[in-house]
Amino acid sequence: MGKQTNIRLDEAVKAAAEDRAKRRGLSLQGYVADLIEADVNQSRAAFMAGAASFLAAYTDAFEAEVGEDRYPALPGNAAERAPRDAA
């Protein structure tokens, strides 16, 4: 169960939101929750895309600085036997 949040809307905005919610088959609460979730997910996706782009741009520099020891805690050549996509 989610936490309750209260918001204040002027009458015109509330009426428009209720109309849009009704057209989508949602309550006003469900409509607002969906809008917030979509915004959060869009922000998260933008961040992850930026992080992936950053990592791709600096992969060579990182590997030159730190090496490619993907499994530093494993003894001996265990890292060589581990699948490359295990991390």
Side-chain angles (χ1 to χ4, degrees):
M1 188 56 125
K3 294 284 188 174
Q4 181 175 337
T5 301
N6 295 315
I7 59 171
R8 294 187 191 281
L9 303 171
D10 67 37
E11 288 299 321
V13 171
K14 182 178 183 237
E18 286 174 332
D19 182 56
R20 288 178 185 231
K22 184 178 180 181
R23 284 188 273 151
R24 288 180 169 91
L26 298 169
S27 65
L28 179 58
Q29 177 181 342
Y31 175 65
V32 171
D34 283 356
L35 289 175
I36 293 169
E37 186 175 337
D39 185 59
V40 168
N41 288 339
Q42 182 179 8
S43 295
R44 184 178 297 128
F47 172 80
M48 293 304 289
S53 176
F54 175 83
L55 291 173
Y58 290 97
T59 297
D60 293 339
F62 180 77
E63 286 181 2
E65 180 73 23
V66 211
E68 194 181 340
D69 186 3
R70 293 174 171 247
Y71 309 96
L74 295 177
N77 65 351
E80 295 170 8
R81 294 189 311 262
R84 289 189 55 84
D85 64 348

